Amino acid sequence: PAARTVPPMNIDPTIIQHNPTPLYTDPAYIVELQRKDSEIAQIIDHILQNKQLPKHIISTWSSFGKTLVHQFERLTINSNNVLCRIYVNIGSTDTLQAIIPQQHRMKFLQQLHIDCGHLGKNRLQHAVKQRAYWPGWSSDISRLKLQC
């Protein structure tokens, strides 16, 4: 198969810090993953249309999708078209956290752990909080086997 080429992009450092290795640092790739997730894609579409999601649609969703909808006012689409959650840092600058689809979370955590220099649990939690969000991310870090 042909190698994947990624056009250069302006990467917002408050969301994903640039690292030439994995695709998880590429906003275009994150957008692609988000668009393949039906619940995230519907949330994006409704944000772009400035509309709330109908309750009859939400009622059939996973707990992840329902949790995101409950935070609808805190969701935004950044300049790279990535769906993000606004994390309010009291006494500091707010952070945009990229929403990572469920099937890519552990890969994201493993890659972040490696790219940031094999961080321990507490520092990895801080690194995730500065970059990404999904319900239960802290528990996922606890389940991650940090074998360094």
Side-chain angles (χ1 to χ4, degrees):
R4 179 185 164 111
T5 57
V6 179
M9 298 185 73
N10 293 328
I11 297 175
D12 184 345
T14 62
I15 299 178
I16 307 281
Q17 292 186 356
H18 179 69
N19 185 319
T21 355
L23 292 173
Y24 290 105
T25 61
D26 176 10
Y29 183 65
I30 294 173
V31 168
E32 181 181 327
L33 296 179
Q34 289 179 340
R35 281 299 185 174
K36 288 180 180 177
D37 182 289
S38 64
E39 293 174 354
I40 294 174
Q42 289 181 65
I43 290 171
I44 291 169
D45 291 341
H46 280 76
I47 288 174
L48 291 173
Q49 297 169 16
N50 201 23
K51 293 182 180 177
Q52 291 287 330
L53 282 146
K55 290 183 181 182
H56 72 277
I57 292 175
I58 299 166
S59 67
T60 63
W61 282 13
S62 68
S63 60
F64 166 69
K66 290 175 183 175
T67 299
L68 284 181
V69 170
H70 287 297
Q71 300 183 41
F72 196 79
E73 269 74 41
R74 293 177 64 189
L75 299 178
T76 189
I77 297 172
N78 74 0
S79 60
N80 292 316
N81 298 316
V82 174
L83 177 64
C84 298
R85 175 179 175 255
I86 301 167
Y87 175 72
V88 178
N89 287 319
I90 297 174
S92 184
T93 306
D94 294 350
T95 302
L96 294 179
Q97 302 167 308
I99 304 297
I100 306 295
Q102 185 171 1
Q103 62 272 28
H104 298 277
R105 295 173 188 165
M106 291 311 279
K107 291 179 207 167
F108 174 83
L109 287 176
Q110 290 166 344
Q111 195 62 58
L112 184 62
H113 171 68
I114 292 166
D115 289 350
C116 289
H118 299 273
L119 301 174
K121 180 182 172 184
N122 291 340
R123 291 178 66 199
L124 182 59
Q125 286 177 327
H126 179 74
V128 170
K129 191 186 301 184
Q130 296 304 310
R131 292 166 177 81
Y133 171 79
W134 61 88
W137 63 268
S138 184
S139 298
D140 287 347
I141 290 174
S142 295
R143 285 194 299 273
L144 184 66
K145 303 279 190 258
L146 302 178
Q147 300 172 346
C148 301

